[in-house]
């Protein structure tokens, strides 16, 4: 069978070299296999025939049976069109062609029964279909498409070259005729049987030419399951492999650092979620396997504390640690809060960023090598080759998605035995996505906020309520609170009339004049030193209002700030809005988030704003975000490259199938970790093919 599926598409009847090239370039379809795995995006039920009398304006597609009673050529030039009068005896429908007039007038005849299909439009109470699909009602073609008809995405270029969805359907038909009877099963027979699934061949036939709605469901299920199953098998196998290959440092003891801190320095009671996660991490670091763990926790859930306690366990076992943050502000902040948490404890903690002085760097490098430096906090500066540890045992990475996989790997190489790795992210991602994108990691979740936090009160105002917004700001400042005002753009955009930061700053300065008020401003184009200085003034409470772009999005902690105003909020993505809102509500005070927007909102913007107003739960927000944008666009997933070659599954919708697929993959690997047993032969071969990063039709047989 391998030969057939890998046959070039140009040999398929009706395709030829010219169309083949276009299919290559537009759809990445090179072989029959590629074509057959180019799945429809929707189906239209063509089992139903309408009477022309029944047609109304709101039917998306209709199918009618009848005869043409006459045709005439109307108009001239670009307006020239062929109009056919079509009737089933109940009423008249006009069929109109602007293109291919000659061909149509020669082939379409009066008096024969036709099946006509298309989108009806109304003009002067007369319904018509422009460029209908038309087949003789007892023709081969109408039988092929007589039931549930598949539709394929095409492009402008495909259409201009007469490759419409309909043509693709015909190609599919010929391709399937050719390979029918020779498509080999791609999953073990025992598994197909156990799960009661359709065979691969039947599934592929039914995905393009469903014999019934039930068959279509089964075909979709089979193909989705298979797709997700192999991704999970690959990830779990990878994890298994890594566990075998890399021994981890064994942190068996919890000693004085951890205990002194826990009993003497802990400034608050840990939440149950924090306790649970610390336990998970401690257990994982004690097994002798290298830990690769993702820690998900909403903004403000207290991840820093978990990181610190994990690091103290490493110290207790004679190892060094580092914590890497994506920006200098964040690195500083982590450093300061850890310093405060540790108090007088004898832990040597240092900070390394781009602005660390040369002389200090020298000390740091030396102390790292001789082992006297215990915890190093920093930015990307940590990745430089000159930064070498004596015995690096644990690496903590904050805000994962700003770092790529390759950067993770660079930290790994800083010790002969790779250190344990804890990746922390404050952008919750939906569970299905986590299972796929981070499927080779273990995942811990802090799903609880420290006690006493009041949910942030979020409202949506149209821009005409700005005066009320300012009144509210005044009241809050009078109570001693601080305010963020965030704008989406840094400089005036020619096309879009969005509130811009500088204009906003001037406006805010007028409403809140000195000396009663003072305002800071930060944006991405500022020099880092100046930016930090402005941030610092706000943090110290010297300014009451911080006017900013999204540079403050990640992790900045000013507990006294209680109001987040987001201008042109319709411009922001959901996860960004959630991150921004997370800057407030960090203290004990009731906090507020005000989303200002213009009057014109797209349905997506409206949904985003409504979601923000209705919930504070980052995971819920992440789910909505995924549904709105599709999994491929969710922050933090681009670099993985895994989930987004999905041909048929949708992580936003197929969570249950995914879970089932993962469970099955787990069970199989549990009893046959290397997939050596004969009945799992196919699985092993498929994994090898997947490693080459594409399904190689030739290697499956
Ligand atoms: P994030 O998970 O967003 O990084 P942080 O670690 O910055 O959150 O914690 C947010 C704030 O909550 C910090 O001021 C931190 O000291 C505080 N905090 C953390 N854990 C607790 C707790 N169990 N009880 C009270 N406050 C806590
Ligand atoms: Mg944080």
């Amino acid at each position: 069978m391998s030969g057939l599926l890998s046959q070039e598409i140009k040999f398929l009847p009706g395709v030829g070299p010219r169309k083949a090239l276009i299919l290559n370039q537009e759809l990445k379809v090179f072989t029959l296999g590629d074509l057959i795995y180019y799945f429809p995006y929707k189906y239209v039920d063509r089992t139903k025939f309408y009477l022309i009398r029944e047609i109304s304006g709101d039917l998306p597609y209709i199918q009618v049976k009848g005869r043409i009673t006459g045709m005439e050529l109307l108009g001239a030039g670009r307006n020239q069109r062929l109009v056919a009068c079509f009737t089933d005896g109940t009423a008249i429908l006009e069929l109109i062609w602007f293109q291919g007039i000659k061909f149509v007038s020669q082939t379409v005849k009066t008096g024969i029964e036709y099946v006509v299909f298309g989108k009806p439009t109304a003009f002067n109470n007369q319904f018509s279909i422009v460029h209908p699909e038309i087949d003789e009602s007892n023709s081969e073609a109408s039988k092929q498409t007589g039931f549930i008809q598949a539709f394929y995405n095409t492009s402008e270029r495909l259409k201009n070259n007469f490759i419409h969805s309909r043509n693709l359907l015909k190609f599919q038909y010929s391709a399937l005729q050719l390979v029918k009877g020779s498509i080999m099963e791609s999953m073990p027979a025992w598994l197909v049987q156990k799960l009661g699934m359709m065979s691969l061949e039947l599934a592929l036939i039914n995905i393009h030419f469903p014999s019934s709605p039930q068959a279509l469901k089964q075909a979709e299920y089979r193909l989705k399951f298979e797709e997700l199953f192999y991704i999970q098998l690959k990830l779990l196998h990878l994890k298994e492999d890594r566990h075998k290959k890399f021994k981890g440092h064994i942190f068996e003891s919890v000693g004085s650092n951890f205990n002194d801190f826990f009993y003497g320095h802990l400034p608050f009671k840990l939440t149950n979620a924090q306790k649970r996660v610390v336990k998970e991490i401690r257990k994982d670091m004690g097994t002798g396997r290298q830990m690769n763990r993702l820690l998900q926790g909403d903004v403000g859930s207290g991840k820093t504390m978990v990181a610190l306690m994990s690091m103290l366990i490493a110290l207790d076992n004679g190892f060094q640690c580092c914590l890497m943050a994506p920006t200098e502000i964040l690195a500083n902040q982590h450093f300061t809060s850890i310093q405060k948490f540790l108090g007088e404890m004898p832990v040597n903690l240092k900070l390394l960023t781009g602005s660390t002085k040369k002389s200090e760097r020298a000390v740091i490098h030396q102390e790292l090598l001789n082992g006297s430096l215990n915890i190093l906090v920093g930015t990307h500066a940590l990745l430089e080759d000159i930064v070498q540890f004596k015995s690096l045992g644990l690496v903590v990475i904050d805000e994962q998605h700003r770092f790529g996989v390759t950067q993770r790997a660079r930290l790994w190489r800083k010790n002969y035995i790779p250190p344990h790795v804890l990746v922390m992210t404050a952008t919750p991602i939906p569970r299905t996505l986590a299972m796929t994108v981070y499927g080779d990691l273990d995942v811990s979740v802090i799903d609880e906020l420290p006690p006493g936090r009041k949910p942030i009160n979020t409202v949506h105002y149209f821009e005409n309520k700005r005066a009320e917004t300012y009144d509210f700001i005044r009241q809050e400042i009078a109570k001693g609170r601080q305010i963020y005002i965030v704008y989406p753009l840094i400089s005036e955009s020619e096309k879009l009339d969005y509130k811009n930061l500088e204009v906003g700053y001037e406006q805010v300065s007028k409403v809140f004049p000195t000396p009663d008020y003072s305002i800071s401003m930060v944006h991405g184009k500022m020099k880092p030193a100046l930016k930090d200085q402005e941030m610092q003034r706000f943090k110290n409470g010297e300014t009451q209002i911080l006017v900013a772009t999204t540079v403050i999005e990640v992790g900045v902690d000013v507990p006294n700030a209680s109001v987040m105003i987001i201008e042109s909020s319709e411009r922001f993505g959901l996860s960004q809005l959630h991150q921004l809102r997370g800057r407030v509500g960090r203290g004990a005070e009731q906090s507020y988030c005000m989303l200002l927007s213009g009057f014109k909102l797209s349905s997506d913007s409206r949904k985003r704003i409504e979601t923000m107003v209705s919930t504070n739960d980052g995971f819920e927000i992440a789910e909505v975000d995924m549904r709105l944008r599709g999994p491929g666009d969710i922050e933090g997933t681009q670099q993985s490259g895994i989930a987004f070659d999905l041909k048929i599954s949708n992580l936003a919708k197929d969570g249950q199938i995914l879970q089932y697929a993962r469970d099955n993959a787990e069970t199989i690997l549990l009893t046959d970790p290397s997939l050596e047993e004969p009945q799992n032969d196919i699985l092993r071969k498929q994994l090898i093919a997947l490693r080459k990063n594409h399904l190689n039709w030739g290697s499956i047989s």
Side-chain angles (χ1 to χ4, degrees), residues 232 235-236 239 433-442 662:
Q232 291 306 320
L235 290 166
L236 292 168
K239 184 165 146 187
L433 207 55
M435 265 199 284
T436 310
V437 182
Y438 302 112
D440 61 329
L441 304 183
D442 292 300
R662 187 172 171 97

Side-chain angles (χ1 to χ4, degrees), residues 375-425:
I375 301 178
L376 182 62
V377 175
T379 54
H380 293 77
L382 299 187
L383 294 172
E384 286 166 20
D385 288 331
I386 192 167
V387 179
Q388 293 294 335
F389 295 77
K390 181 173 182 227
S391 58
L392 181 60
L394 169 65
V395 168
V396 181
I397 304 175
D398 195 14
E399 310 294 354
Q400 147 76 6
H401 49 267
R402 313 259 156 158
F403 297 111
V405 176
T406 40
Q407 284 163 316
R408 260 200 274 162
R410 274 175 81 176
L411 281 170
W412 276 39
R413 289 199 294 270
K414 290 198 185 281
N415 201 347
Y416 176 65
I417 293 180
H420 296 297
V421 178
L422 180 67
V423 168
M424 307 197 290
T425 166

Side-chain angles (χ1 to χ4, degrees), residues 303-304 334 398-399 555:
K303 293 185 290 293
T304 314
H334 277 307
D398 195 14
E399 310 294 354

Side-chain angles (χ1 to χ4, degrees), residues 67-240:
R67 286 162 214 277
I68 289 172
T69 55
M71 284 197 271
E72 59 182 327
L73 204 55
L74 297 177
R78 298 190 62 212
N79 223 353
Q80 192 178 53
R81 59 201 185 272
L82 180 68
V83 179
C85 216
F86 183 82
T87 181
D88 61 357
T90 67
I92 287 173
L93 176 70
E94 281 183 349
L95 309 179
I96 304 175
W97 289 269
F98 290 93
Q99 282 156 16
I101 290 177
K102 198 166 152 212
F103 178 77
V104 176
S105 55
Q106 281 168 1
T107 46
V108 171
K109 302 178 193 85
T110 53
I112 300 176
E113 190 177 54
Y114 284 108
V115 172
V116 161
F117 175 78
K119 232 186 191 61
T121 49
F123 185 71
N124 284 344
N125 283 328
Q126 170 64 56
F127 281 97
S128 62
I129 296 180
V130 176
H131 291 165
E133 284 184 18
I134 176 162
D135 292 301
E136 286 182 33
S137 75
N138 55 6
S139 71
E140 206 34 49
S142 86
K143 273 177 210 148
Q144 272 175 44
T145 59
F147 299 101
I148 299 171
Q149 185 178 347
F151 282 77
Y152 302 86
N153 277 316
T154 55
S155 64
E156 242 359 83
R157 178 154 173 243
L158 284 168
K159 283 182 198 143
N160 290 338
N161 286 280
F162 305 101
I163 307 176
H164 298 271
S165 170
R166 186 100 201 279
N167 305 96
L168 286 170
L169 193 65
K170 283 188 178 146
F171 296 160
Q172 296 290 7
Y173 188 79
S174 326
L176 285 166
Q177 289 298 328
L178 272 177
V179 303
K180 217 181 229 169
S182 56
I183 297 181
M184 299 267 293
E185 195 40 71
S186 52
M187 294 215 285
W190 67 265
L191 188 60
V192 174
Q193 200 179 6
K194 179 187 145 205
L195 302 180
M197 283 192 305
M198 208 179 227
S199 74
L200 178 61
E201 177 160 310
L202 256 187
L204 288 173
I205 292 171
N206 274 283
I207 207 72
H208 298 291
F209 299 98
S211 61
S212 69
Q214 293 77 8
L216 174 58
K217 266 218 174 93
Q218 281 182 302
E220 281 178 336
Y221 185 80
R222 151 81 211 219
L223 295 169
K224 285 178 176 183
F225 182 91
E226 170 165 355
E227 181 169 59
L228 297 170
F229 171 80
Y230 275 113
I231 292 173
Q232 291 306 320
L233 192 70
K234 177 178 159 184
L235 290 166
L236 292 168
H237 195 253
L238 208 78
K239 184 165 146 187
E240 184 74 36

Side-chain angles (χ1 to χ4, degrees), residues 634-648:
I634 297 288
E635 215 178 326
T637 58
Q638 283 88 348
Q639 74 259 55
S640 82
I642 297 169
F644 316 105
D645 292 333
L646 293 179
K647 286 188 181 340
I648 189 163

Side-chain angles (χ1 to χ4, degrees), residues 679-697:
Q679 81 266 23
N680 292 331
D681 222 33
I682 295 180
L683 298 178
R684 201 184 55 252
K685 285 185 179 151
Q686 285 279 37
L687 277 195
I688 293 168
L690 273 175
R691 210 164 292 150
K692 293 180 194 143
N693 235 346
H694 63 286
L695 276 178
N696 179 355
W697 311 116

Side-chain angles (χ1 to χ4, degrees), residues 453-469:
R453 294 275 168 80
K454 298 189 182 82
I456 298 158
N457 200 334
T458 304
V459 292
H460 170 218
Y461 281 162
F462 289 110
E463 276 162 357
N464 60 344
K465 282 229 192 162
R466 188 168 282 105
E468 284 92 328
T469 310

